[in-house]
Amino acid sequence: MGSALPPDGFTLLGGRIPYIEGPLKVTGRAEYTDDLQRPGMLVGRLLRSPWAHARIRSIDVSAARSLPGVYAVLTGERYPTPFGVLPITHDETAIAVGKVRYIGDILAAVAAQDEPTAERAIALIRVEVEPLAEHTDPKVGVTPVTDPIHDRGLNGSNVQKEVAQHFGDVDAAFARAAQTVRVRGSFAGVTHAFTEPMATIAEATPDGRLTVWSATQVPHYLHRALSEVLGLPMHRIRVIKPEVGGGFGGKSDPLPHEIACAALALETGRPVKVLFDREDVFLTNHGRHPTQNDLRVAADADGRLLAYDLSAVIDGGAWSSFGTVTTYYNGVLAMGPYRVPNFRYHGRRVYTNRPPSGAMRAHGGTNVRYTVEVALDELAEKVGIDPFELRRRNALPPHSTTVNQFRITSTSFLACLDAVRAASGWDAAFRQLPYGEGIGLGCGFYISGSNSPIHFTPKMPQSTVHLKVDMDGGIAVHSMQADIGQGSNTLLAAIVAEVVGVALERVHVIRVDSDVSPIDLGSYSSRVTFMMGNAARRAAEDLRTRLVRGASELLGYPPEQIRVGRERFEVAHRPDVSVTYLEALHRAMERTGALTAAGAYSSPPMGGSFKGARAGTAPAYSFAAYVARVRVDAETGEYRVGKMWAAFDCGRPLNRLAVEGQIEGSIHMGLGQLMGETLNYRGARLMNPSLLDYKIPMPAQMPEVECLLVGEDDPEGPFGAKEAGEGPLVATLPAVANALYDAVGVRFTDLPITPEKVVKGIELRQREGRPWKGE
Amino acid sequence: MSGLRALVRLTLNGHPVEVSCPDERVLLDLVREELHLTGTKRGCDLGTCGCCTVLLDGRPTLSCLTLARLADGRSLTTIEGLSPGTGLSPVQRAFVEHGATQCGFCTPGFIVAATALLGEHPHPTREEVVRGLSGNLCRCTGYAKIIEAVLAAAEGR
């Protein structure tokens, strides 16, 4: 494919930039946590609870401790300080204290000389418990229960978080509505299924320091949690992020095993590795919440939206994790890409004795988006207009505000609609394909980074980038942004190279290491391109200013007349008068030695002043319009998505290769959730904790994907860019569901849509005497 | 644990190697723990993800399901054995240029599988590529750029 010359005079940005760690990854030389060895390293093993809910009466570790080759056995009371990703819901401990809350909860941790010894030690631990009532139905958990899972549940219930919001007057809007639609969605739990199991290595050294290598998306939150629970000041802890084999949200919480591993290292004075097997990964979960939602939509006779009345009950599992955010997002992310003048939301996230739910790609936005887009498809049919027309009539304009005070700046949503309508041949296909074939539209809206950082007051930047250049001319880039495969290292290097005017290979992105990397809040909420990108641009401009001053002194022209060329600095009106990059650098270094430069980004103030007003505010939003083509075998219910057209507004795409990769990968994940992925429970027990029984789509199941990148520059994004990491997922599911409706005339609201449900849906429709498309 | 040990003599990436390991050791552990070649990845320990794919006598093999002693007398090629000297093989180069890696954890397995596929079908159709890679899972890319890269490598692009 090569790299076409990007527009606007950029040499890199806007083109197709291969990932800079690609050569290491294709040769097996990229280093993930499990690839690292430390001298004298011990094996860490965890004893997991076989009980879903029980009070711990006693744990006898004496036999395990006295086994030769065992260096430490820890139980919960050694480090009982609670932690959690959100400061307001610290309800986890590294190792269970007093109670276990799900099958898989950690009861004890062992460090031993080798694997067999560690496993023998685990088998020698004797635990006595008093079983407690098991809670597996979130709808029951909203009322007071016997033995609530946490003390913090509201009024003796298992409700972790309840949100009630009302903007405008929803009841009055419904009273005057010409059309109403109601969709009740049901969503099974799904999980990230990244390929790299979690792994952590910790080493305490005699200088009083602790080093932790871990497969994490957010090194900074891990750093904080380690400090809080272990009682060590942050400056005595060093967190290093090796390559991470995928995260999708599943490695964004600080996780109990990371802290337990560090505790074992402190206890033994030896390096300790905890490596998960696939069952451990499934039991740690933090995947997308099983959810039931209920949406009523009111519209006028022309299909103009008047109100949404929305509620959701969300299964949180055993811990809070990001749950307070999840509860808000399942409501507020119903806003956009449409103008909805009245909005009411009642959301409850409920603890259950199941593996914790958490943040998963397009966190909080995926399930509610499905329900909205299916409802709008139905509304268009009721009003008697094309689904595209319905969406055009309701599109949020640029530079507007939603009823719940989201600040919308750039939106190319209409351009997305136009592009995907034309490319997909919609007008010749919709409701015109033969029975069993269908085409459907689903749209998307997602935050481009959370305006509300989890840990910082608004005074501290959300991203910081430092640069260092010495006489060799290589530029070392330091930042705690976390590349987990999405290509943020590549973008960071490309922005610096572009601004300074040097070749990409001069820029070295240094592995995340809290000793040298200035804080960036890591990879979650689709924030990295926007926030790190702005910080990187500012740092590079800072560096360029110093280089230009050096060039100015050498050339004898004032800095404002110096222009950045390719590895040169030249006089703007006399390009023949120039110095090389290295000449300018060496001049600039004469006073200070190696040059350093810094850039930071903080999002501007935004949002209303009501409770929960910050949830869902973002410095920009992405928009999407996807069309899916499906073919259904009405006899067996099997269906296949043949093609997806994905029109996406990420502002200006800075690396087209990466943006396409994010869209294609998001479609994979969205189709998985829609078509079959399910965390299957029998009561509290997860029945399919393996990639054999939890099936993600294989190559043969993927449709052809055509990416249409139509965004215009965002006013505040780096070079006009917005997010492309999570928003591309949400439109996928409803596009296919609406295509299934076009194919067989059945609305599917219970995910995943299995072939069995397709057959049952068709049979029900036939029994009700509603023929479809001349069937 | 049987306590028995096996002596395994094999050709590893073109060089003769002799290594002793517990009888029940699987090939993945032999490669990663005893031979210290960490390019071969452990993803599921169940033969489902393909991250641990190696070539045994040129055939793609799931090293997590293969006893190490079965490699005795055979030729084992891991991802480390696929690059010529310090450069990249055509498949590796295509994966880089086409953005077929994201997190990269599944990549060695895909490269090994794709190399074997192209050895057997130098000019595969798209369907043959899809079939040839059906033993490997990727959660990042949706496979689109992986398939594109393999086709490009076949065409010498």
Side-chain angles (χ1 to χ4, degrees):
Chain A
M1 200 126 319
S3 44
L5 195 65
D8 300 345
F10 290 145
T11 58
L12 290 163
L13 298 177
R16 305 174 73 80
I17 314 168
Y19 304 115
I20 56 178
E21 23 345 60
L24 296 177
K25 288 178 174 171
V26 299
T27 52
R29 299 287 290 275
E31 287 187 328
Y32 301 80
T33 303
D34 184 37
D35 300 334
L36 305 175
Q37 287 292 332
R38 299 292 303 160
M41 189 160 70
L42 302 174
V43 172
R45 272 285 193 281
L46 308 171
L47 173 64
R48 292 188 179 276
S49 169
W51 302 282
H53 196 198
R55 190 164 289 121
I56 301 169
R57 285 200 186 286
S58 65
I59 304 183
D60 179 1
V61 299
S62 51
R65 269 204 187 121
S66 53
L67 187 70
V70 171
Y71 284 72
V73 183
L74 289 181
T75 54
E77 57 278 3
R78 182 73 180 84
Y79 292 103
T81 306
F83 71 96
V85 66
L86 303 186
I88 51 173
T89 53
H90 279 191
D91 62 5
E92 303 183 46
T93 51
I95 303 173
V97 176
K99 270 175 84 167
V100 286
R101 293 179 170 85
Y102 76 100
I103 298 171
D105 224 346
I106 300 172
L107 275 162
V110 167
Q113 64 189 15
D114 55 28
E115 227 175 282
T117 308
E119 282 179 358
R120 273 200 296 280
I122 288 284
L124 287 172
I125 299 173
R126 293 284 166 262
V127 184
E128 281 184 34
V129 301
E130 171 197 341
L132 299 170
E134 291 182 14
H135 305 288
T136 55
D137 184 347
K139 289 204 160 160
V140 172
V142 300
T143 56
V145 295
T146 317
D147 303 331
I149 296 168
H150 288 271
D151 296 335
R152 52 177 300 127
L154 298 172
N155 305 320
S157 72
N158 280 323
V159 174
Q160 180 252 317
K161 175 67 185 175
E162 180 161 19
V163 172
Q165 294 184 322
H166 192 177
F167 305 95
D169 188 339
V170 166
D171 293 324
F174 271 88
R176 69 173 189 278
Q179 296 287 356
T180 62
V181 170
R182 182 174 190 178
V183 171
R184 276 170 276 199
S186 177
F187 304 86
V190 292
T191 198
H192 320 84
F194 38 74
T195 47
E196 181 209 17
M198 285 89 161
T200 301
I201 296 172
E203 180 171 7
T205 41
D207 57 0
R209 297 203 74 201
L210 172 72
T211 302
V212 176
W213 295 258
S214 199
T216 176
Q217 299 176 222
V218 189
H220 178 62
Y221 294 168
L222 174 60
H223 198 183
R224 278 179 175 258
L226 288 166
S227 170
E228 285 167 22
V229 178
L230 301 173
L232 287 174
M234 285 179 78
H235 66 265
R236 280 175 51 198
I237 303 173
R238 180 180 179 197
V239 173
I240 296 174
K241 182 201 76 75
E243 291 295 344
V244 174
F248 313 111
K251 295 169 181 168
S252 56
D253 294 65
L255 293 168
H257 74 274
E258 295 175 300
I259 301 171
C261 180
L264 288 171
L266 288 172
E267 204 72 7
T268 60
R270 296 272 294 267
V272 179
K273 179 191 283 185
V274 170
L275 171 66
F276 273 14
D277 65 19
R278 190 48 70 170
E279 184 173 0
D280 290 317
V281 177
F282 274 91
L283 291 175
T284 302
N285 187 26
H286 290 77
R288 197 179 314 293
H289 292 63
T291 301
Q292 312 267 325
N293 63 22
D294 185 348
L295 172 69
R296 292 192 308 135
V297 177
D300 69 13
D302 299 323
R304 285 195 176 77
L305 295 171
L306 299 176
Y308 287 172
D309 193 2
L310 173 66
S311 64
V313 176
I314 304 160
D315 181 348
W319 304 119
S320 285
S321 180
F322 284 89
T324 298
V325 177
T326 316
T327 316
Y328 279 112
Y329 277 9
N330 268 273
V332 299
L333 292 181
M335 298 290 94
Y338 316 108
R339 186 198 290 282
V340 183
N342 301 283
F343 174 52
R344 182 162 57 201
Y345 172 56
H346 181 209
R348 284 170 293 185
R349 182 181 184 272
V350 186
Y351 292 119
T352 59
N353 294 120
R354 285 177 173 171
S357 305
M360 179 166 157
R361 196 178 208 167
H363 171 209
T366 303
N367 295 345
V368 68
R369 179 56 44 196
Y370 181 87
T371 304
V372 165
E373 295 294 321
V374 168
L376 295 191
D377 204 58
E378 175 126 351
L379 178 64
E381 191 174 31
K382 273 192 158 181
V383 173
I385 59 175
D386 187 278
F388 275 90
E389 182 54 33
L390 182 95
R391 285 166 172 86
R392 288 196 71 88
R393 280 180 197 176
N394 289 292
L396 272 171
H399 304 290
S400 58
T401 305
T402 65
V403 69
N404 65 336
Q405 307 282 304
F406 286 175
R407 183 199 73 157
I408 306 298
T409 53
S410 69
T411 162
S412 297
F413 181 52
L414 290 177
C416 288
L417 287 172
D418 292 346
V420 81
R421 186 173 190 163
S424 64
W426 175 271
D427 291 331
F430 181 64
R431 296 288 190 269
Q432 297 157 61
L433 298 169
Y435 180 70
E437 286 184 44
I439 191 165
L441 168 67
C443 297
F445 167 82
Y446 204 69
I447 55 170
S448 187
S450 170
N451 172 59
S452 178
I454 288 173
H455 271 291
F456 285 0
T457 63
K459 302 257 182 219
M460 191 114 52
Q462 283 144 300
S463 180
T464 311
V465 171
H466 286 174
L467 308 177
K468 187 222 76 177
V469 202
D470 216 321
M471 51 79 61
D472 60 294
I475 304 175
V477 186
H478 298 276
S479 174
M480 215 178 280
Q481 60 78 29
D483 195 319
I484 55 173
Q486 79 275 45
S488 58
N489 283 349
T490 304
L491 184 63
L492 185 49
I495 287 174
V496 171
E498 187 76 63
V499 170
V500 181
V502 297
L504 188 61
E505 68 261 19
R506 279 198 190 273
V507 185
H508 317 302
V509 178
I510 308 302
R511 180 173 72 165
V512 170
D513 175 342
S514 63
D515 274 4
V516 293
S517 311
I519 292 166
D520 170 287
L521 296 180
S523 284
Y524 70 99
S525 80
S526 220
R527 55 177 294 286
V528 182
T529 291
F530 201 98
M531 297 186 180
M532 174 209 79
N534 271 314
R537 179 182 191 163
R538 287 168 192 166
E541 286 170 352
D542 180 12
L543 176 62
R544 186 178 65 190
T545 301
R546 289 153 209 256
L547 292 165
V548 164
R549 201 178 304 140
S552 153
E553 288 167 10
L554 288 172
L555 292 167
Y557 285 85
E560 52 277 14
Q561 289 183 27
I562 306 294
R563 195 171 66 184
V564 180
R566 289 209 190 173
E567 299 250 332
R568 299 193 79 76
F569 293 90
E570 50 203 39
V571 178
H573 56 278
R574 292 204 49 199
D576 56 312
V577 180
S578 67
V579 290
T580 66
Y581 161 71
L582 282 180
E583 287 165 341
L585 169 66
H586 293 163
R587 174 71 183 201
M589 285 178 60
E590 281 177 16
R591 283 176 297 275
T592 60
L595 300 188
T596 58
Y601 174 80
S602 301
S603 58
M606 62 184 72
S609 53
F610 53 91
K611 183 170 164 56
R614 290 186 307 166
T617 58
Y621 296 88
S622 68
F623 296 84
Y626 286 13
V627 167
R629 258 312 265 271
V630 301
R631 185 187 292 266
V632 184
D633 181 332
E635 298 298 312
T636 65
E638 306 268 351
Y639 59 98
R640 202 188 141 70
V641 182
K643 182 156 182 181
M644 293 282 297
W645 291 265
F648 195 73
D649 167 20
C650 61
R652 177 193 296 250
L654 297 183
N655 182 359
R656 285 175 182 271
L657 206 58
V659 171
E660 289 172 9
Q662 291 300 305
I663 292 174
E664 290 154 355
S666 289
I667 288 173
H668 168 97
M669 198 169 276
L671 287 181
Q673 181 182 356
L674 184 93
M675 298 179 73
E677 287 178 32
T678 309
L679 291 175
N680 267 322
Y681 292 96
R682 186 170 296 161
R685 181 176 300 276
L686 179 62
M687 300 304 289
N688 58 337
S690 77
L691 290 175
L692 194 61
D693 296 316
Y694 182 94
K695 292 186 190 305
I696 70 170
M698 292 170 44
Q701 293 164 303
M702 281 300 293
E704 183 189 345
V705 174
E706 186 174 331
C707 299
L708 307 158
L709 306 181
V710 296
E712 291 180 5
D713 285 3
D714 181 84
E716 296 175 19
F719 310 95
K722 301 189 284 191
E723 73 94 19
E726 305 188 42
L729 190 148
V730 299
T732 308
L733 296 82
V736 177
N738 292 337
L740 287 173
Y741 182 77
D742 187 45
V744 295
V746 180
R747 291 271 172 226
F748 296 100
T749 56
D750 179 15
L751 263 55
I753 306 171
T754 57
E756 187 186 357
K757 289 178 190 169
V758 172
V759 169
K760 281 188 176 157
I762 293 171
E763 284 172 359
L764 180 65
R765 175 180 57 69
Q766 288 168 338
R767 275 205 304 280
E768 290 173 350
R770 291 184 287 120
W772 187 252
K773 290 206 300 196
E775 158 201 21
Chain B
M1 290 276 293
S2 62
L4 294 174
R5 292 186 74 81
L7 185 66
V8 184
R9 294 188 192 83
L10 52 86
T11 304
L12 172 65
N13 296 329
H15 301 283
V17 169
E18 199 175 291
V19 58
S20 141
C21 70
D23 217 25
E24 71 279 7
R25 199 80 150 153
V26 294
L27 189 54
L28 174 61
D29 289 336
L30 183 85
V31 168
R32 286 186 61 87
E33 315 292 333
E34 320 266 348
L35 302 173
H36 306 293
L37 294 175
T38 55
T40 305
K41 300 303 180 197
R42 179 194 309 278
C44 70
D45 282 318
L46 209 61
T48 49
C49 73
C51 290
C52 69
T53 307
V54 296
L55 299 179
L56 254 190
D57 291 339
R59 293 177 60 87
T61 302
L62 295 167
S63 63
C64 76
L65 294 185
T66 306
L67 284 172
R69 57 190 164 81
L70 298 181
D72 188 47
R74 300 169 76 178
S75 162
L76 172 66
T77 307
T78 66
I79 182 69
E80 288 87 352
L82 290 180
S83 347
T86 56
L88 302 179
S89 76
V91 173
Q92 289 170 328
R93 199 174 320 114
F95 267 60
V96 172
E97 286 173 5
H98 291 263
T101 64
Q102 280 187 36
C103 85
F105 199 78
C106 72
T107 304
F110 269 100
I111 300 263
V112 170
T115 303
L117 171 74
L118 294 183
E120 218 165 296
H121 303 279
H123 302 288
T125 63
R126 192 185 168 82
E127 286 64 37
E128 283 169 331
V129 172
V130 166
R131 207 162 41 239
L133 301 179
S134 62
N136 296 70
L137 295 176
C138 170
R139 191 55 153 175
C140 296
T141 62
Y143 310 106
K145 302 226 179 306
I146 293 176
I147 294 165
E148 194 180 300
V150 176
L151 287 169
E155 290 166 26
R157 280 193 276 128

